[in-house]
C-alpha cells in the first residue's frame, strides 16, 4: 500500500519526503546511500593507491597527491563509509528487532544523518579547494599542525561536524534500546545485533568526546594560533596521539561489534539453530568493549613510553583475544550440526570466520611490544588492519546488505550475482592483503609514495594490485545486482529467509508505524518460538489503539547546513574577512533553526484506530 | 485492581510511610551537606597546611556529589540501574584517561 502511494507521488514530493523524514526506516536508506557513496569514493582512492604501487618507481600520481589520496582513503572509509553503513543497519533493524515503532528521538536521528552528510561533503570539498588533508588519517602532530594547505583544516572541521552526528546517533540508540523494548523483551532476550548495537552506542558515547576534544585542540592550533601540540611553546605532540587513540581504538570496536552482531544473526538463521552460547556472546561483547578502553597505547609502542607502560598495554591487548576467541568458537559451534543453507549472507559469514581469525592472529603478533618495533609502520600492519576491518566490518556490511535487503526494500537481491560478488571480492581481498604481510616483513614501509626496483618488492606489489582490481569487480557486480533487483526484482514474502527475530514478523512493505500492536515477546528468537510452539504469528501485547507518530521536519537539514556554511567560514577566516560573514550566516541559520525547534510546539500526530482497522488486522 | 478501595488504602499508607522516610533522608542529607560546606570553609580559613586541606576538601566534594546523585536525584531508588551503570562507566573511562596521561605523558 505504501509503495502504491509512493508511485503516485512525483519526484519532488519524494525528495521532500526524504529531506524532512524522521522515520527510522527512511533514515536508514539515507544512511545506506550516503555510506555507499563514500564507500565507492574511498574505493576509488584505494584503486589509485594500488595502481601507483603496481610497478616500482611509478610516476602515475605525484607524491603530494599520493599523500592526499592515502589520507582521504583512510578517513573516508572509517568515518564516512563504515560508520554510516553501520548506522544504516542499526536504524533499519534495531527498532524492528526490539518491537518499537521508532527510535526514542526521531528528530535527533534525522539531525545525526544530516550532520554526518554535511561533515563528509565539507571534508571532500577540500579536493577542489587547494588540496585534501595530507597528514594521514591519524593526523599526527606536528605534521598536521604544519601542513601548509587548508587540507587539515577541512579534516578537523569536517570530522567535527560529522562526529556530532555520530554522537547523537549513539545516544539515540542507547535510549531506544533501554526504554523502548516491547513487553517481554528483556535484556537477555535481545537479538545479538541489538546487543552489539547497544554496546557500540555506549562506546560511541564514551569514545567520541575524546575525538571532539582532540579535533577542537587541533582546530585551535591551526586556525586560532593556539599551541597545544607545539613543544616550543610548552605544548606536547604526544598528547594528540594519546587523545586520538583513546578515541581511535574504541572506534574499531564500534565498527566491528555490530558486524559481529550481523554475523551472529546470519549464522543462527542459516544454520536453523539458536545461537550457541548466547549469554557468553553477550558477555564477550561487553568484555571486548570494557577492555577496548585500556589498550589504545598499543598503537604507540615505538613512541617511547617506557617498558612498563608498553608491557601493561601489550598484556591488556592480548587479553582481548580471549573474548574474541569465545565468539569465534560460538559461531563455529552454532554451525556445528546445523541445517546449513549456503545463501549469499551465509557465504560471507563463512568467509568472515577464517579471514577475521587471521587478522586476530596478526593482531596478537603486533601486540607483542618488543616484536612490534619490527612490524611498526610496515605493510605488515597494513595487512593486519585490513584483515580485521575489511574481513570483519566490510564483509559484515555486505552480508547485512544481502540479508536485510528484504527488510529495507522489500526485495531479495539476486542470489547468483550475490555469489559472484562474494567469490570475486573474497579472492581479490586475500590476493591484495595476504601478500602484504610478507612485503611488510621484508621491510616495505607503509604510506610511501613509491618503492624502488631491485628490492624484491615487485612481485608482491603487482599481485596486490591485481587483487585490488578483483575487489573492484566484486563491488561493481554488487552495484549491478542492486540496480537489477530494484528495476526488475519482485516483492518478496515478509520472511524470505525463514528468520528468527521480530523484524521478520512485519508485513512487507513495513508499515510506517512498524507494529500495529506491540508484540509480546516470549523468549529469545521470538518469531522462531511462535513458528515452533505457536501458530506462527507473534502474539500482540495490546489491543489496536491510536498510534502516536512524530511529524516530519526540515529543521535537521537546516541546522546541519548552517554548520556546513559556518565551517567554511572558520576555515577561511585567517585568509579573508569574508570568513566572518560566512560564520555569521551559518551560525544564524543553525541557532535560528534550533530556536524555531524550541519555540514551536510539535507534538506529532496520531494514526487513528479506525484507520488501522480499515487496513485489516496486522498481528492477531 | 484500581477499584479495590481496601488495597488502595493500604497502598496509600505504604506510600505515605515511604515518602516520610524519603523526606527524612533528604533533610538529613541536606543538613550534612551544609555541615560539609561549613567544614570546608572552616578548613580554608583555619591554620592548616595545604597538603591536608586540599585532599580533605576533595573527599568532602566527592561525598557531596554522591549525596546529590543518590538522595536528591533519586539514584538510590529502583529503575535507576542503567543511569548508574552509564555514569560509572563514564567515570571509569575518564579516570583511566587522566591516569594514563598523568603517568605516561606528563611525568
Amino acid at each position: 500500500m505504501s509503495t502504491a502511494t509512493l508511485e503516485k507521488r512525483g519526484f519532488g514530493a519524494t525528495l521532500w519526503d526524504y529531506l524532512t523524514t524522521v522515520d527510522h526506516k527512511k533514515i536508514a536508506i539515507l544512511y545506506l546511500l550516503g555510506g555507499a557513496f563514500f564507500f565507492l569514493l574511498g574505493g576509488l582512492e584505494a584503486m589509485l593507491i594500488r595502481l601507483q604501487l603496481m610497478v616500482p618507481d611509478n610516476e602515475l600520481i605525484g607524491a603530494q597527491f599520493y599523500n592526499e589520496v592515502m589520507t582521504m582513503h583512510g578517513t573516508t572509509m572509517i568515518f564516512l563509509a563504515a560508520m554510516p553503513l553501520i548506522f544504516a543497519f542499526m536504524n533499519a533493524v534495531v527498532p524492528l528487532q526490539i518491537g518499537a515503532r521508532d527510535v526514542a528521538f526521531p528528530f535527533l536521528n534525522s539531525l545525526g544523518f544530516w550532520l554526518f552528510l554535511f561533515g563528509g561533503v565539507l571534508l571532500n570539498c577540500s579536493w577542489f579547494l587547494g588540496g585534501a588533508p595530507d597528514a594521514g588519517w591519524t593526523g599526527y602532530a606536528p605534521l598536521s599542525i604544519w601542513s601548509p594547505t587548508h587540507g587539515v583544516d577541512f579534516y578537523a572541521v569536517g570530522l567535527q561536524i560529522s562526529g556530532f552526528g555520530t554522537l547523537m546517533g549513539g545516544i539515540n540508540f542507547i535510549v531506544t534500546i533501554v526504554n523502548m523494548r516491547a513487553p517481554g523483551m528483556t535484556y537477555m532476550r535481545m537479538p545479538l545485533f541489538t546487543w552489539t548495537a547497544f554496546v557500540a552506542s555506549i562506546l560511541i558515547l564514551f569514545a567520541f568526546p575524546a575525538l571532539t576534544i582532540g579535533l577542537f585542540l587541533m582546530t585551535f592550533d591551526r586556525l586560532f594560533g593556539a599551541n597545544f601540540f607545539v613543544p616550543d611553546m610548552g605544548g606536547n605532540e604526544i598528547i594528540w596521539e594519546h587523545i586520538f587513540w583513546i578515541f581511535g581504538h574504541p572506534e574499531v570496536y564500534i565498527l566491528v561489534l555490530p558486524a559481529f552482531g550481523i554475523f551472529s544473526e546470519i549464522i543462527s538463521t542459516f544454520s536453523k539453530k539458536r545461537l550457541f552460547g548466547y549469554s557468553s556472546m553477550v558477555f564477550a561483547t561487553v568484555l571486548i568493549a570494557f577492555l577496548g578502553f585500556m589498550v589504545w597505547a598499543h598503537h604507540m609502542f615505538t613512541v617511547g613510553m617506557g617498558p612498563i607502560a608498553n608491557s601493561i598495554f601489550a598484556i591488556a591487548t592480548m587479553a582481548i583475544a580471549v573474548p574474541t576467541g569465545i565468539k569465534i568458537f560460538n559461531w563455529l559451534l552454532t554451525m556445528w550440526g546445523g541445517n546449513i543453507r549456503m545463501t549469499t549472507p551465509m557465504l560471507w559469514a563463512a568467509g568472515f570466520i577464517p579471514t577475521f581469525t587471521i587478522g586476530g592472529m596478526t593482531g596478537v603478533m603486533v601486540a607483542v611490544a618488543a616484536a612490534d618495533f619490527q612490524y611498526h609502520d610496515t605493510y605488515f600492519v597494513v595487512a593486519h588492519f585490513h584483515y580485521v576491518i575489511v574481513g570483519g566490518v566490510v564483509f559484515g556490511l555486505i552480508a547485512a546488505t544481502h540479508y536485510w535487503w528484504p527488510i529495507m526494500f522489500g526485495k531479495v537481491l539476486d542470489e547468483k550475482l550475490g555469489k559472484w560478488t562474494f567469490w570475486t571480492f573474497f579472492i581479490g581481498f586475500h590476493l591484495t592483503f595476504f601478500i602484504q604481510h610478507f612485503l611488510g616483513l621484508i621491510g616495505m614501509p607503509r604510506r610511501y609514495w613509491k618503492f624502488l626496483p631491485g628490492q624484491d618488492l615487485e612481485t608482491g606489489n603487482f599481485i596486490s594490485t591485481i587483487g585490488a582490481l578483483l575487489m573492484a569487480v566484486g563491488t561493481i557486480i554488487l552495484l549491478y545486482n542492486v540496480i537489477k533487483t530494484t528495476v526488475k526484482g519482485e516483492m518478496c514474502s515478509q520472511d524470505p529467509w525463514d528468520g528468527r527475530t521480530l523484524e521478520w514478523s512485519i508485513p512487507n512493505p513495513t508499515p510506517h508505524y512498524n507494529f500495529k500492536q506491540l508484540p509480546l515477546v516470549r523468549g529469545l528468537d521470538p518469531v522462531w518460538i511462535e513458528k515452533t510452539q505457536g501458530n506462527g504469528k507473534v502474539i500482540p501485547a495490546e489491543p489496536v489503539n491510536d498510534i502516536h507518530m512524530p511529524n516530519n521536519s526540515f529543521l535537521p537539514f537546516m541546522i546541519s547546513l548552517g554548520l556546513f556554511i559556518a565551517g567554511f567560514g572558520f576555515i577561511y577566516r585567517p585568509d579573508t574577512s569574508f570568513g566572518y560573514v560566512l560564520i555569521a550566516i551559518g551560525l544564524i541559520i543553525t541557532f535560528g533553526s534550533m530556536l524555531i525547534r524550541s519555540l514551536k510546539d510539535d507534538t506529532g500526530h496520531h494514526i487513528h484506530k479506525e484507520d488501522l482497522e480499515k487496513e485489516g488486522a496486522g498481528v492477531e | 485492581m484500581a477499584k479495590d478501595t481496601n488495597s488502595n488504602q493500604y497502598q496509600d499508607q505504604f506510600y505515605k510511610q515511604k515518602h516520610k522516610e524519603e523526606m527524612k533522608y533528604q533533610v538529613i542529607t541536606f543538613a550534612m551537606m551544609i555541615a560539609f560546606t561549613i567544614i570546608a570553609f572552616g578548613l580554608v580559613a583555619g591554620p592548616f597546611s595545604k597538603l591536608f586541606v586540599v585532599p580533605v576538601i576533595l573527599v568532602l566534594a566527592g561525598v557531596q556529589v554522591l549525596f546529590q546523585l543518590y538522595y536528591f536525584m533519586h539514584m538510590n531508588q529502583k529503575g535507576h540501574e542503567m543511569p548508574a551503570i552509564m555514569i560509572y562507566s563514564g567515570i571509569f573511562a575518564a579516570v583511566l584517561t587522566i591516569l594514563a596521561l598523568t603517568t605516561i605523558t606528563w611525568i
Side-chain angles (χ1 to χ4, degrees):
Chain A
M1 57 213 154
S2 65
T3 40
T5 46
L6 258 182
E7 276 159 21
K8 258 183 250 164
R9 269 185 299 176
F11 174 73
T14 313
L15 183 71
W16 180 250
D17 186 34
Y18 273 90
L19 284 177
T20 59
T21 188
V22 292
D23 180 357
H24 72 98
K25 296 177 288 294
K26 286 178 181 159
I27 291 173
I29 293 172
L30 289 174
Y31 265 120
L32 190 73
L33 289 175
F37 170 73
F38 285 117
F39 180 73
L40 294 178
L41 203 61
L44 208 64
E45 286 150 9
M47 285 303 120
L48 279 177
I49 295 175
R50 274 328 313 169
L51 288 174
Q52 164 65 21
L53 294 175
M54 186 158 73
V55 287
D57 214 5
N58 199 357
E59 291 283 350
L60 179 73
I61 55 176
Q64 172 62 22
F65 187 61
Y66 180 87
N67 286 348
E68 292 172 15
V69 166
M70 174 212 57
T71 301
M72 285 301 281
H73 167 69
T75 314
T76 304
M77 282 302 195
I78 295 284
F79 292 102
L80 308 179
M83 287 299 297
L85 288 172
I86 294 276
F87 268 116
F89 294 112
M90 276 163 67
N91 264 300
V93 177
V94 167
L96 302 182
Q97 277 193 336
I98 61 173
R101 292 201 170 105
D102 205 328
V103 290
F105 307 119
F107 181 90
L108 214 57
N109 201 10
S110 156
L111 182 57
F113 168 75
W114 291 111
L115 283 172
F116 140 69
L117 190 72
F118 277 111
V121 171
L122 178 73
L123 180 51
N124 276 284
C125 281
S126 60
W127 287 114
F128 311 105
L129 295 166
D134 55 358
W137 88 279
T138 52
Y140 276 2
L143 194 56
S144 57
I145 300 302
W146 301 125
S147 169
T149 65
H150 273 303
V152 181
D153 301 331
F154 279 100
Y155 171 92
V157 178
L159 289 188
Q160 190 70 273
I161 293 173
S162 98
F164 289 152
T166 310
L167 202 48
M168 285 176 196
I171 292 170
N172 204 347
F173 276 97
I174 294 175
V175 180
T176 305
I177 295 171
V178 169
N179 289 321
M180 296 182 67
R181 283 167 290 130
M185 178 65 82
T186 58
Y187 281 110
M188 289 312 274
R189 284 178 183 176
M190 293 197 310
L192 215 76
F193 180 66
T194 302
W195 252 114
T196 51
F198 180 51
V199 174
S201 303
I202 295 174
L203 286 179
I204 288 174
L205 178 64
F206 294 141
F208 265 75
L211 177 73
T212 307
I213 299 291
L215 288 175
F216 264 130
L217 298 184
M218 184 195 265
T219 312
F220 275 101
D221 266 20
R222 284 190 60 94
L223 297 175
F224 298 97
N227 296 299
F228 293 106
F229 305 126
V230 185
D232 296 348
M233 309 296 285
N236 189 337
E237 292 148 356
I238 304 299
I239 292 177
W240 165 263
E241 289 189 35
H242 276 291
I243 291 176
F244 184 84
W245 287 116
I246 285 170
F247 147 77
H249 201 80
E251 164 74 10
V252 301
Y253 294 117
I254 292 167
L255 295 176
V256 89
L257 284 178
F260 286 171
I262 291 164
F263 287 124
S264 303
E265 304 284 316
I266 289 172
I267 290 174
S268 156
T269 302
F270 294 111
S271 303
K272 246 188 186 176
K273 273 175 73 184
R274 78 169 260 184
L275 191 67
F276 186 91
Y278 170 83
S279 44
S280 70
M281 282 299 235
V282 172
F283 170 74
T285 308
V286 176
L287 193 61
I288 290 174
F290 176 74
L291 289 173
F293 270 99
M294 299 191 272
V295 298
W296 77 85
H298 67 210
H299 297 270
M300 306 164 56
F301 281 149
T302 56
V303 157
M305 297 181 299
I308 295 172
N310 275 9
S311 319
I312 293 172
F313 282 104
I315 290 166
T317 306
M318 287 178 227
I320 290 193
V322 176
T324 318
I326 293 176
K327 279 179 170 287
I328 300 270
F329 284 113
N330 278 336
W331 287 317
L332 292 176
L333 288 167
T334 307
M335 285 195 260
W336 185 293
N339 183 3
I340 297 176
R341 284 173 292 160
M342 270 297 168
T343 55
T344 310
M346 187 62 182
L347 212 50
W348 282 103
F352 149 80
I353 293 176
T355 311
F356 191 82
T357 309
I358 295 172
M361 195 193 62
T362 52
V364 178
M365 287 171 74
V366 290
V368 181
D372 186 62
F373 277 75
Q374 284 299 315
Y375 306 133
H376 191 85
D377 258 348
T378 69
Y379 264 78
F380 190 83
V381 175
V382 174
H384 156 70
F385 68 69
H386 280 91
Y387 261 79
V388 283
I389 294 183
V390 180
V393 184
V394 176
F395 281 22
L397 290 170
I398 301 179
T401 308
H402 288 89
Y403 182 60
W404 281 315
W405 201 262
I407 291 286
M408 293 180 80
F409 298 97
K411 296 171 180 177
V412 183
L413 284 176
D414 189 279
E415 275 290 291
K416 202 174 167 191
L417 285 173
K419 280 169 188 164
W420 272 99
T421 312
F422 172 77
W423 286 112
T424 43
F425 197 94
F426 184 76
I427 294 171
F429 166 77
H430 282 280
L431 265 185
T432 311
F433 292 108
F434 194 75
I435 196 83
Q436 290 186 3
H437 290 115
F438 301 100
L439 288 175
L441 291 177
I442 295 170
M444 181 169 166
R446 70 190 272 205
R447 290 179 168 149
Y448 276 30
W449 166 47
K450 53 167 86 165
F451 61 95
L452 295 177
Q455 295 178 335
D456 292 334
L457 301 173
E458 290 94 334
T459 324
N461 274 300
F462 191 74
I463 293 173
S464 192
T465 302
I466 300 296
L469 292 171
L470 214 53
M471 285 167 85
V473 172
T475 314
I476 291 166
I477 298 175
L478 176 63
L479 274 183
Y480 172 67
N481 193 354
V482 166
I483 293 167
K484 188 189 154 207
T485 311
T486 310
V487 175
K488 281 189 182 166
E490 285 173 10
M491 296 299 278
C492 61
S493 70
Q494 66 179 56
D495 183 13
W497 305 119
D498 196 10
R500 310 172 70 85
T501 40
L502 274 179
E503 74 264 33
W504 305 109
S505 70
I506 301 170
N508 179 22
T510 313
H512 88 111
Y513 46 81
N514 294 352
F515 295 91
K516 189 172 286 177
Q517 296 158 287
L518 291 184
L520 180 70
V521 178
R522 298 202 291 160
L524 185 63
D525 295 344
V527 172
W528 192 253
I529 288 181
E530 301 304 336
K531 277 179 190 170
T532 50
Q533 296 165 24
N535 64 353
K537 289 191 171 170
V538 174
I539 304 165
E542 56 174 18
V544 178
N545 233 327
D546 287 4
I547 294 173
H548 182 222
M549 296 299 287
N551 283 338
N552 282 2
S553 173
F554 192 52
L555 290 174
F557 185 91
M558 293 306 287
I559 293 175
S560 315
L561 179 70
L563 282 180
F564 178 74
I565 296 170
F568 276 107
F570 282 114
I571 291 167
Y572 285 103
R573 186 199 57 91
D575 303 345
T576 154
S577 52
F578 185 63
Y580 287 106
V581 181
L582 283 180
I583 294 174
I585 294 173
L587 292 184
I588 286 171
I589 294 176
T590 298
F591 287 108
S593 307
M594 287 184 187
L595 194 70
I596 294 172
R597 169 72 180 167
S598 310
L599 297 180
K600 211 179 88 183
D601 273 340
D602 183 2
T603 49
H605 62 278
H606 281 90
I607 302 170
H608 294 289
K609 194 176 153 186
E610 293 73 28
D611 299 328
L612 288 171
E613 278 164 352
K614 228 183 283 168
E615 282 174 14
V619 251
E620 285 175 58
Chain B
M1 168 190 93
K3 296 251 168 82
D4 195 343
T5 42
N6 255 345
S7 82
N8 244 354
Q9 244 175 18
Y10 286 124
Q11 261 180 12
D12 281 353
Q13 236 169 21
F14 172 71
Y15 280 122
K16 234 180 195 171
Q17 189 72 26
K18 218 178 157 190
H19 288 314
K20 216 174 167 183
E21 249 169 59
E22 204 177 293
M23 188 66 195
K24 196 175 82 186
Y25 283 126
Q26 286 201 343
V27 170
I28 293 174
T29 321
F30 187 58
M32 280 174 81
M33 284 169 91
I34 290 176
F36 279 11
T37 313
I38 292 170
I39 293 172
F41 272 100
L43 280 174
V44 176
F48 303 105
S49 83
K50 261 190 184 169
L51 268 153
F52 172 71
V53 173
V54 171
V56 171
I57 288 184
L58 284 177
V59 169
L60 289 180
V63 175
Q64 287 213 27
V65 168
L66 290 181
F67 276 158
Q68 177 78 23
L69 288 175
Y70 275 87
Y71 287 98
F72 292 134
M73 296 177 85
H74 306 291
M75 246 170 70
N76 56 345
Q77 289 171 9
K78 258 194 179 170
H80 289 70
E81 294 85 3
M82 194 47 80
I85 291 177
M86 301 299 283
I87 289 173
Y88 287 117
S89 331
I91 291 173
F92 166 75
V95 166
L96 203 65
T97 306
I98 294 166
L99 187 74
L101 286 181
T102 44
T103 51
I104 299 173
T105 317
W106 290 327
I107 295 176

